[in-house]
């Protein structure tokens, strides 16, 4: 279990993950939107990128969220869910 | 327990302002159904007020807006209203919807372990939403925030309309997926970002306890 947590943490803070997520945020988040995650309210795209670059707790949350989505996309989970709601 | 709703609506930052504004829709539905409502708004959303109300009104539905963590739900000015090991018994036997991040991860499970006749609908992941700064002064006109907060409202609104906890959860999750479909079809610049945050809430939203619970 400890090994699983450590390897998840390594993925979240890896430079590749950071670069990927920063590129996604840069491309996908317009300047007029603000993201609230839990107690962190109203992050602009620039603030999101800063957190990811720093690799702090919020940065890791953002990365985790992106990776979860990508994983769900790649396994078809999202497509199946969206079809079920039609 | 008797039919009725206690709802906390702290208002001290952007997130709580949005939650509280959108909660007015929940109160409207309750009033339409003639369901008694006790709202704790702004400075009323404190631990002492909540404890007094929860002890004196045996209302079956509790809706808690605000920030939180896996063991606590906060009220006004980030004061903990419900904390594990302090006063979680106030939610035992009731249907609780916590629009507060991660409270299902630990607090919800503890409440249900004490008595599983009630249930706890909440989030195992931090609740996410995008807001458009254009509408910061009038959250109800923010169509981006609506994509997140209307499906979230579907939980208490479905319960108010007589659905079970499991049905309310299902209605809410279906509404999240419908909004994902809608924005992905639009293919706007922000579609993927919004879809990703909606998916987070879809995956994170859980019912713990008695899914057949009714108001």
């Amino acid at each position: 279990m400890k090994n699983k947590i450590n390897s998840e943490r390594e993925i979240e803070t890896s430079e590749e993950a950071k670069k990927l997520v920063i590129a996604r945020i840069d491309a996908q988040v317009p300047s007029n939107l603000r993201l609230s995650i839990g107690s962190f309210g109203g992050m602009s795209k620039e603030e999101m990128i800063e957190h990811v670059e720093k690799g702090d707790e919020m940065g890791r949350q953002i990365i985790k969220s992106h990776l979860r989505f990508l994983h769900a996309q790649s396994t078809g989970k999202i497509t199946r869910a969206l079809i079920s709601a039609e | 327990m008797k039919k009725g709703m206690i709802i906390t609506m702290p208002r001290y930052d952007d997130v709580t302002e949005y939650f509280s504004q959108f909660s007015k829709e929940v109160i409207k539905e309750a009033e339409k159904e003639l369901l008694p409502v006790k709202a704790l708004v702004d400075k009323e959303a404190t631990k002492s007020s909540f404890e007094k109300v929860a002890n004196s009104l045996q209302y079956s539905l509790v809706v808690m807006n605000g920030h939180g963590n896996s063991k606590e739900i906060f009220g006004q000015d980030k004061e903990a209203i419900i904390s594990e090991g302090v006063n979680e018994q106030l939610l035992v036997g009731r249907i609780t919807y916590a629009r507060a991040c991660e409270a299902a991860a630990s607090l919800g499970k503890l409440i249900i372990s004490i008595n599983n006749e009630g249930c706890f609908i909440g989030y195992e992941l931090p609740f996410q939403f995008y807001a458009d700064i254009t509408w910061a002064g009038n959250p109800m006109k923010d169509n981006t925030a609506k994509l997140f907060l209307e499906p979230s409202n579907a939980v208490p609104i479905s319960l108010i309309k007589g659905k079970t906890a499991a049905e309310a959860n299902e209605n809410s999750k279906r509404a999240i997926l419908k909004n994902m479909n809608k924005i992905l079809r639009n293919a706007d610049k922000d579609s993927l970002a919004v879809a990703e945050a909606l998916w987070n809430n879809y995956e994170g939203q859980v019912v713990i306890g008695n899914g057949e619970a009714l108001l």
Side-chain angles (χ1 to χ4, degrees), chain B residues 6 8 29 43 45 58 72 94 112-113 118 159 163 168 176 190 192 197 209:
Chain B
I6 299 169
T8 64
E29 287 299 326
K43 294 182 173 30
Q58 297 304 310
E72 297 173 299
R94 303 190 206 239
I112 300 309
S113 72
L159 289 164
K163 300 294 180 192
I176 293 175
D190 60 0
L192 277 173

Side-chain angles (χ1 to χ4, degrees), chain B residues 23 49 61 90 202:
Chain B
S23 287
S49 297
L61 175 60
L90 291 172
Y202 177 84

Side-chain angles (χ1 to χ4, degrees), chain A residues 32 34 36 38 66 77 86, chain B residues 127 129 131 133 181 185 203:
Chain A
N32 60 308
R34 297 290 181 269
S36 294
H66 277 257
K77 196 173 177 188
E86 289 280 288
Chain B
F127 184 84
F129 74 99
I133 54 169
N181 267 324
R185 278 190 193 122
E203 283 208 306

